[in-house]
Amino acid sequence: MMNYVLQITLQSPLTSASGEGRVGLVDRDIASDDLGLPILPGRRLKGLWREAYRDVTDAWGACYQTSTPASKIFGESGKSPGDREVALYVGNAELVEASSLKPWLEYLQHQNIRKILREDVVQHFSTVRAQTAIDRQTGVAQEDTLRLTRTLRPGLVFRAPVQFTLHPDKELLNALAISAAALQYMGTARTRGLGKVCCRLIESDGSNQECDLTEKVLNQNSLPSIMVSQSPKTSRKQTSNTSLSHSGIPTHLLRYRLTLTAPVVIPATEGDSNTVVTRQDIPGSNVWGAAAWHYLHQPNHTPDDQAFRNVFLEGKLRFLTAYPEAHDSIQRLLPIPHSIRQFKDSRMLTLVDLVEAQDEDSKKRPKKRLERRYAKLDKGVVESQSVRTERNYHHARVSKDRRIGRALGADVSAGGAFFQYEAIQTGETFQGVVLGSESDLKDLQKWLKGTNLIRLGRSRSAQYGEAAFEWVDAKGPQQLKGCVEWDGFIGQLGHSVPNLGNCLIVTTLSQLLVVNDNGHPDSCFPKQELAKLLSLNADDLKLLRSYTRTELVGGYNAHLRLPRQQWPAIAAGSVFVFELKQELKEIDKKRLVELEYDGLGLRKGEGYGRIAINRFKLTNTMETQLDDPNNQDSPPVPGGSEIPACVQALLKEIARTRCLAEMQQGAMNIATIRGAIQEIPSNALLGRLRFFLQQDVPIDTLNDLRRQAKEGLTNCRITLRSGMPWFPRSTTLYDLFKIAWSAPETLTESLIRTQIEALVEDDVDESYANTRKTLIDELKGDSKEMCQVFLNHLLTSLYRKRRT
């Protein structure tokens, strides 16, 4: 199987703006991941690639050559590329050495290690530029116009994964290869000297053999064809699949795991017109749609198959919501019941369940809802865990005039807009389950065999929506026992439901969709449906109290390319407490278990309507956070003791930066510490020394100074009692300059060794110690430059002190 990547080599500084800035540090920052490694977002790459392809097709048209429209390859807004015939996915572009850097950065930046910071990594790959606006009449800088922009260093090489739904033909690869060559500028300020790049489409067979398709096409003596051939239509012939037996209540389950390999955006109904807020779980409807898509893209499978209609359209399989998976186990987390609250006046994470009887003191104390949504709820203990999200900024370019490469604002007709996506971060793991009959689940496993990646959510053709898919149950479908969700698929409670007297406590484990008596969507609990399923009258159930939230459920129908109707829904975690009539002391527990298996409300096949009855009782009043960094163990050294060359270069640059910062701070301290320096030379002599540093004159020039000037330097004595271990306790300005010129290592050796040893441990093994020694020796080569920086700052500090 061939793999394809878009390789981008920076030929000038580039600003791939993140849309954010840091007050006092930088006004326009670059896009980077959590570790500080720079990235080029996939959505921007795909948009720029599309514009480059349109430029190519314009040139091909002038040469009377036919070409495929850009929408056929790259798709249109709200539509699948080429109607899923030549679907193209472009991921984020990462550094070529990112795979080697990431495990080491995760280790070095761990909470318990903290040898380097994210800002150290960002500074290693970037520089900061200052710019201002000039008044045309006066020729001076305008007030309040100074801006600091961070830019990536030229020479960096990025690679973005390119994936196809179907195997690409030669013409499609020609089109993409040529348009990659036409993509020569990206990022902000690309008309002012920034953002020049060299792009190439690379083909690889999975080994070390690579082929540069762009160079191959450009070296041809004639114009290559870029008219993409039409893919053959999938046969609509009825297959011999037999109708699967229908079963109303599920009997078996299959667990699956989703590990996000790219950020995922599952749009919620919150936010404003320019902000897309994501859900913090994966709805069953998304997995249901992905499974149906994979079924239809197999040979001889059509929507007319009876198996397809029974399993995917008639709800024989129940695709439950994929909730986060616990960090410390393979257990699936669940929504925290809304009846569980936290005391506001307590510094500890003290909890109380409002369903249970409370003393007078607890009733008076103010309470609030828990900040987190999901937790392990085994044995009455709440062990919560957060879902990491991120915000990415995007802008829609002008749709009519291609010469304008930016958004003009929503108030301009077809002028594009600035918007942002909230997304679940890469690496988050979710676990879900599919319910159904044993035969249906085995067929589902067969249809999804070999499916390792699925795409979910919005903008899944670029940058977002990729997740690794795997089955948790290696032995196949498991028989349903006990309450499916409440015990996280781990403990088995049997076929009994806990008896809480004449109370019936219903907790929703997913969103609940119902309609009222007139057939309209409603957010009221379906008491009549519950009573009917339990063979009771509605009057037999009296609602005592409830702890609920309501929300809107929407979505998008990819097949019809239309948004789905928004339904008011009862939120997951809502709790309803019903009182049974006195004569109804007990309900058939088997019927209660079947109700838990089947659920309530509408669209059960998409995971809605899951409930638990009398399943949870709070026994521990303290909330435990599974992802508390203070409780995490220190990670082992990645990959043994061998440090890759790219990591060594990063550590060396960080140590060098820290040495320079400490020496600059030391120069300022010498001038500010009282009594540290005596008899500061004249301004003229200080200026002459600065000139020596700028011209890098030899040491003989210092020896040739006149006696009066030399005495001025020798009389300037610097005495430090503490605070700078690397600096001599007592010296003169003359001797300091002689050391910096003749033997700079003697001034910086102690500081360099301290910084390297702080980054590279010395208690691992011999090869690790050799690496540390190599870094120290290499960094000593920069001693002269460090000394010059130190002396420059010292002269500046002395000049300022003399003026004051």
Side-chain angles (χ1 to χ4, degrees), residues 249-250 480-482 484 495 593-599 610:
I249 299 177
L480 285 175
K481 295 179 180 179
V484 179
H495 287 279
V593 173
E594 291 179 351
L595 178 60
E596 290 179 333
Y597 290 169
D598 192 36
R610 307 303 303 171

Side-chain angles (χ1 to χ4, degrees), residues 211-454:
C211 177
D212 190 336
L213 298 180
T214 301
E215 289 295 333
K216 183 178 179 180
V217 172
L218 294 178
N219 291 333
Q220 295 182 8
N221 295 326
S222 60
L223 292 178
S225 172
I226 57 174
M227 173 58 71
V228 179
S229 59
Q230 298 293 329
S231 302
K233 297 292 183 179
T234 304
S235 174
R236 307 289 292 187
K237 182 179 179 180
Q238 180 69 34
T239 65
S240 59
N241 294 336
T242 57
S243 176
L244 303 178
S245 59
H246 178 72
S247 175
I249 299 177
T251 60
H252 288 73
L253 64 87
L254 263 178
R255 294 182 297 168
Y256 63 88
R257 178 183 293 112
L258 297 174
T259 304
L260 305 189
T261 56
V264 171
V265 180
I266 308 292
T269 55
E270 309 170 31
D272 52 45
S273 58
N274 292 329
T275 303
V276 177
V277 178
T278 185
R279 293 181 51 167
Q280 296 187 11
D281 52 36
I282 308 296
S285 57
N286 289 53
V287 184
W288 171 80
W293 185 88
H294 281 279
Y295 173 89
L296 295 175
H297 279 72
Q298 294 183 11
N300 300 324
H301 282 193
T302 70
D304 297 328
D305 297 342
Q306 189 64 36
F308 179 82
R309 300 188 63 85
N310 288 344
V311 172
F312 293 104
L313 302 183
E314 296 181 5
K316 291 189 63 179
L317 290 181
R318 311 282 180 87
F319 292 84
L320 306 191
T321 303
Y323 289 128
E325 187 178 69
H327 289 337
D328 61 346
S329 64
I330 61 171
Q331 185 166 341
R332 174 179 180 249
L333 303 182
L334 291 170
I336 300 176
H338 295 313
S339 61
I340 298 178
R341 305 293 172 89
Q342 181 181 343
F343 290 115
K344 291 183 178 180
D345 55 358
S346 175
R347 294 183 179 180
M348 306 297 292
L349 301 178
T350 308
L351 305 179
V352 61
D353 193 346
L354 301 182
V355 172
E356 303 174 1
Q358 306 175 50
D359 54 33
E360 293 299 326
D361 181 59
S362 298
K363 292 180 180 179
K364 295 179 181 179
R365 295 173 62 183
K367 308 171 187 66
K368 63 178 181 180
R369 296 180 185 268
L370 274 67
E371 296 180 357
R372 300 187 171 194
R373 301 184 183 181
Y374 307 102
K376 289 169 60 177
L377 302 170
D378 291 340
K379 300 178 182 180
V381 178
V382 177
E383 297 176 290
S384 65
Q385 182 175 303
S386 61
V387 178
R388 297 178 301 124
T389 60
E390 63 184 28
R391 284 185 180 267
N392 297 317
Y393 298 88
H394 306 281
H395 74 272
R397 302 171 68 185
V398 176
S399 58
K400 293 184 179 180
D401 193 345
R402 288 164 51 191
R403 297 173 298 175
I404 303 176
R406 59 186 179 87
L408 298 180
D411 54 340
V412 179
S413 178
F418 182 82
F419 60 96
Q420 59 181 334
Y421 278 168
E422 182 187 37
I424 306 174
Q425 286 190 11
T426 304
E428 290 292 285
T429 303
F430 296 83
Q431 189 181 134
V433 68
V434 184
L435 302 179
S437 65
E438 183 176 13
S439 59
D440 292 349
L441 293 174
K442 287 184 177 179
D443 285 338
L444 179 65
Q445 280 187 305
K446 180 179 65 176
W447 297 332
L448 297 182
K449 185 177 181 180
T451 300
N452 299 322
L453 289 176
I454 63 175

Side-chain angles (χ1 to χ4, degrees), residues 81 110 166 274:
H110 191 269
L166 299 177
N274 292 329

Side-chain angles (χ1 to χ4, degrees), residues 644-682:
C646 56
V647 179
Q648 294 186 32
L650 174 63
L651 295 178
K652 176 186 173 183
E653 183 63 26
I654 292 176
R656 179 179 177 274
T657 302
R658 292 181 178 179
C659 288
L660 288 173
E662 186 165 342
M663 296 184 78
Q664 292 172 10
Q665 185 62 39
M668 297 176 61
N669 292 339
I670 291 175
T672 56
I673 296 177
R674 186 174 182 180
I677 189 167
Q678 299 175 356
E679 298 188 23
I680 301 176
S682 64

